[in-house]
Amino acid sequence: MEEDLHLMRKFKDGDLESFEKIVIKYRKSAVAFSQSYVHDYYIAEDIVQESFGYIYVYKEKYNEKYKFKTYLFTIIRNKSIDYIRKKSTVPLSEIHNDISKDDTVESILNQEKRKMLKDKIYELKDEYRNVIYLIDFEGFSYKEAAEIMGKNLMQIKILIYRARKKLRVSIEKERCGY
């Protein structure tokens, strides 16, 4: 995005407020992305903080021909994988299901549908979960998702197809009760 490029240029020139705006803009989605790898919210927060720290210290390494979000998520992916490699067992945490105060029947049904979808996505293998998250939730292009995941474009197309198909079958089984 043009805004991110502008903020990074200002940050490179010494404007710390610009960096803070970038952190605020991407922190939540970055934590969710890391959590899809490490399965623990608090560890994901640490990884994201470490990733932003890396960008802060090595701001000159950012290449402006790439989108900032792609750069950030690539760093987070690498740090998440490093964490997994260092730690042989990764605790699995439940996906938090925030219930709103609006407890109308429709609201409760929508929450149940969202929870079921989250649960079904969580059951997918890591590669499937990550590609769905990047493309369908974060809006990355196939090419950007390929860069982040260290795959080529064809591999990403195959992965997203298989991931969506597996998710669809899993949801249908849930609806049918078997």
Side-chain angles (χ1 to χ4, degrees), residues 103-157:
D103 50 353
T104 64
V105 174
E106 186 175 324
S107 173
I108 291 171
L109 288 174
N110 285 335
Q111 289 172 8
E112 285 299 314
K113 287 178 186 175
R114 282 194 304 273
K115 182 183 181 328
M116 189 260 298
L117 180 61
K118 284 181 184 178
D119 290 345
K120 292 300 173 190
I121 290 172
Y122 189 71
E123 290 171 5
L124 296 173
K125 68 182 190 176
D126 287 345
E127 273 192 326
Y128 289 175
R129 184 174 46 251
N130 293 334
V131 76
I132 285 176
Y133 180 78
L134 288 172
I135 293 171
D136 294 334
F137 289 91
E138 284 301 318
F140 282 107
S141 70
Y142 286 19
K143 183 179 177 187
E144 292 167 329
E147 289 175 28
I148 291 168
M149 293 183 70
K151 306 253 183 227
N152 66 41
L153 187 59
M154 187 53 68
Q155 289 172 318
I156 289 297
K157 287 179 179 181

Side-chain angles (χ1 to χ4, degrees), residues 8 12 19 22 33 51-52 54-78 140 144 147-148:
M8 276 305 290
K12 283 181 176 182
F19 184 71
I22 289 174
F33 177 63
S51 299
F52 278 121
Y54 176 87
I55 292 169
Y56 184 87
V57 172
Y58 300 105
K59 58 187 164 209
E60 298 306 320
K61 287 188 175 189
Y62 172 64
N63 186 339
E64 293 182 359
K65 73 178 186 178
Y66 300 108
K67 289 183 179 180
F68 176 78
K69 189 174 180 183
T70 303
Y71 178 69
L72 171 65
F73 275 55
T74 302
I75 292 170
I76 292 168
R77 174 190 168 271
N78 292 339
F140 282 107
E144 292 167 329
E147 289 175 28
I148 291 168

Side-chain angles (χ1 to χ4, degrees), residues 10-46:
K10 285 177 67 175
F11 170 59
K12 283 181 176 182
D13 291 337
D15 182 5
L16 299 181
E17 220 173 276
S18 296
F19 184 71
E20 187 176 323
K21 287 178 183 178
I22 289 174
V23 171
I24 290 168
K25 181 176 181 179
Y26 289 113
R27 187 189 138 323
K28 189 175 180 179
S29 61
V31 170
F33 177 63
S34 179
Q35 187 178 1
S36 74
Y37 279 93
V38 299
H39 309 293
D40 185 290
Y41 178 80
Y42 299 105
I43 292 170
E45 275 189 328
D46 289 345

